Amino acid sequence: MKDEEKNRVPPGQRLVSNLPVLHYGKTWVIKKEDWSFKVFGLVDKDVELSFDQFISLPKIKLDCDIHCVTGWSRLDTTWEGIKSSAVKDLVEISPNAKFVMVHAMGGFMTNLPIDEFFDEDVIFATHFGGVPITAEHGAPVRLVVPKLYFWKSAKWVTGVEFMAEDKMGFWENYGYHNHGDPWKQERYGY
């Protein structure tokens, strides 16, 4: 590892040059015309968008490093998609909402504090490395939360629920840490 890379790799991680495919269960293959994105919970009104409506929201490009709880890190990844903050333009979020549950295919869910969900570097990605993401990597839309271990970057996203209280997501119910900061090695437990 080069010296300039050492400060970008959390403890217990090793660099990889590819983007490993890891997930629980099957790979979901979702046609864009069958996909929708729901915003619900502590909002003034529930909203559901088709894929075309969703991708008409303002797009951004994000360059970031990513870190998986299994011990790999990949530096200098490039994602394109919709900033998480675009959701604020769709609904009025209750001031009581303090947490977000991101829902995905197959009953998968991942939880985040609302302020971390709205960080500048959190996006709903539709592209990786300049091309549409593949089904193995969460097409048509996956969440990317670079500051946390990659299990928080849910694949095959279908919606966002705003909540007053935190609830554990899929992996958190199986013993993963509720937060997942790679710099603090928040891998398992609380």
Side-chain angles (χ1 to χ4, degrees), residues 8-10 13-21 62-79 121-123 125 128-129 133 137 142-153 155 180 182-183:
R8 295 169 57 194
V9 179
Q13 298 291 111
R14 69 186 183 292
L15 287 179
V16 298
S17 58
N18 61 341
L19 186 60
V21 175
L62 173 68
D63 295 317
C64 64
D65 302 336
I66 54 175
H67 313 287
C68 182
V69 71
T70 62
W72 61 261
S73 290
R74 168 112 186 246
L75 304 181
D76 301 316
T77 64
T78 301
W79 302 87
D121 62 352
V122 175
I123 70 168
F128 173 72
I133 57 175
H137 291 295
R142 80 168 296 155
L143 188 67
V144 176
V145 185
K147 290 182 182 127
L148 301 177
Y149 281 122
F150 217 43
W151 89 77
K152 293 289 189 174
S153 296
K155 297 178 178 181
W183 293 97

Side-chain angles (χ1 to χ4, degrees), residues 101-132:
M101 185 69 77
V102 178
H103 293 264
M105 295 298 295
F108 185 85
M109 299 176 290
T110 192
N111 59 320
L112 295 163
I114 196 169
D115 57 331
E116 290 187 6
F117 174 73
F118 286 129
D119 273 352
E120 287 295 310
D121 62 352
V122 175
I123 70 168
F124 292 102
T126 57
H127 289 71
F128 173 72
V131 298

Side-chain angles (χ1 to χ4, degrees), residues 161-178:
E161 176 184 4
F162 289 90
M163 310 177 301
E165 296 181 14
D166 196 15
K167 296 177 189 170
M168 291 191 290
F170 180 87
W171 284 113
E172 294 78 15
N173 277 308
Y174 285 96
Y176 280 55
H177 195 280
N178 198 46

Side-chain angles (χ1 to χ4, degrees), residues 12-76:
Q13 298 291 111
R14 69 186 183 292
L15 287 179
V16 298
S17 58
N18 61 341
L19 186 60
V21 175
L22 300 170
H23 54 260
Y24 178 83
K26 72 179 214 169
T27 296
W28 292 90
V29 179
I30 306 160
K31 295 178 182 177
K32 292 175 184 175
E33 59 269 17
D34 295 335
W35 181 87
S36 65
F37 181 81
K38 297 170 186 70
V39 181
F40 61 102
L42 295 177
V43 295
D44 63 332
K45 64 184 183 318
D46 293 356
V47 171
E48 185 170 356
L49 302 176
S50 69
F51 183 77
D52 288 339
Q53 290 169 321
F54 184 78
I55 63 167
S56 72
L57 298 171
K59 295 173 192 59
I60 66 159
K61 184 175 173 181
L62 173 68
D63 295 317
C64 64
D65 302 336
I66 54 175
H67 313 287
C68 182
V69 71
T70 62
W72 61 261
S73 290
R74 168 112 186 246
L75 304 181
D76 301 316

